[in-house]
């Protein structure tokens, strides 16, 4: 299998490469550090398992969605520090097959890669606890009912969002 490590943190990529290079099924490991590089890889049409921290700088869930549109054969494993139910559901809706946390046991990370390569879903123990607490049925999510349609906002709404992002209060915005 071809393995793609997608994370903006070089130390994470080096550690994963070191851990996963010994797997018999892995014949090549590539590293990328941005969503743009992920899109470029997807355009090549190569089949790969992708370990991605879509919450890392330079990546987001939209990169997964766009990559799968270009290359539906990609198999994504979410690999993040976050484990909130919403983060997990967003990942599954975006096309992530399996999900593990960066602080999972190495055995779980290896199992996630092997299972995902064979077309199976895999969730580490910490993620399973999140799924159980939130009563999420990962097999019952209707992925077809979700869309990623852009939201169009007015210039004034954009100004307000910008002002809020700059730390202004609602009172200050009203005075603008």
């Amino acid at each position: 299998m071809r393995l793609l490590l997608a994370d903006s943190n070089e130390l994470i990529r080096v550690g994963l490469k070191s851990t996963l290079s010994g797997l018999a099924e892995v014949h090549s490991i590539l590293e990328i550090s941005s969503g743009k590089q992920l899109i470029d890889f997807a355009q090549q049409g190569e089949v790969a398992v992708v370990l991605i921290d879509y919450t890392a700088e330079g990546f987001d869930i939209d990169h997964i969605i766009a990559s799968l549109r270009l290359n539906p054969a990609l198999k994504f494993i979410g690999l993040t520090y976050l484990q909130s139910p919403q983060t997990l559901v967003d990942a599954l809706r975006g096309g992530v097959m399996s999900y593990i946390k960066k602080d999972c046991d190495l055995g779980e990370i290896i199992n996630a890669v092997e299972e995902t390569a064979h077309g199976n879903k895999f969730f580490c123990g910490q993620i399973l606890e999140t799924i159980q607490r939130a009563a999420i049925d990962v097999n019952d999510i209707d992925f077809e009912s979700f869309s990623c349609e852009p939201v169009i906002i007015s210039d004034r709404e954009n100004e307000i969002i910008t002002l809020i992002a700059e730390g202004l209060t609602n009172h200050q915005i009203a005075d603008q």
Side-chain angles (χ1 to χ4, degrees):
M1 104 182 67
R2 173 168 247 162
L3 190 58
L4 182 63
L5 307 176
D7 198 305
S8 59
N9 186 314
E10 183 179 9
L11 185 59
I12 296 292
R13 293 191 318 269
V14 168
L16 287 170
K17 187 172 186 174
S18 173
T19 299
L20 300 169
S21 62
L23 296 179
E25 292 183 53
V26 174
H27 60 79
S28 68
I29 299 178
L30 304 169
E31 299 178 42
I32 60 170
S33 59
S34 74
K36 182 187 178 323
Q37 291 175 325
L38 177 61
I39 300 299
D40 292 344
F41 179 84
Q43 288 175 331
Q44 296 171 16
E46 297 185 45
V47 176
V49 172
V50 182
L51 273 92
I52 184 170
D53 183 350
Y54 66 92
T55 66
E57 184 178 335
F59 291 97
D60 61 44
I61 198 74
D62 292 333
H63 292 116
I64 295 172
I65 294 166
S67 296
L68 286 170
R69 283 190 185 133
L70 294 167
N71 184 351
L74 294 174
K75 298 175 182 176
F76 282 91
I77 301 171
L79 176 67
T80 67
Y81 288 114
L82 304 172
Q83 70 170 15
S84 74
Q86 189 60 53
T87 301
L88 178 59
V89 169
D90 289 346
L92 295 172
R93 289 176 183 164
V96 169
M97 284 181 65
S98 300
Y99 205 108
I100 52 180
K101 287 192 63 198
K102 284 187 175 177
D103 61 351
C104 285
D105 295 333
L106 290 179
E108 287 182 304
I109 294 171
I110 291 168
N111 288 339
V113 170
E114 292 173 337
E115 289 298 318
T116 306
H118 291 107
N120 301 316
K121 295 177 183 175
F122 184 92
F123 303 95
C124 72
Q126 294 177 58
I127 296 300
L128 286 175
E129 289 173 9
T130 300
I131 290 169
Q132 289 170 342
R133 277 194 311 271
I136 299 169
D137 183 350
V138 296
N139 293 312
D140 197 33
I141 295 177
D142 178 15
F143 297 105
E144 299 300 317
S145 67
F146 298 101
S147 69
C148 296
E149 298 299 320
V151 176
I152 300 173
I153 60 174
S154 70
D155 289 339
R156 179 63 180 148
E157 289 168 322
N158 192 38
E159 288 176 31
I160 291 171
I161 291 169
T162 302
L163 291 171
I164 290 171
E166 292 172 355
L168 299 176
T169 67
N170 285 338
H171 179 70
Q172 290 169 316
I173 291 170
D175 293 341
Q176 292 284 328

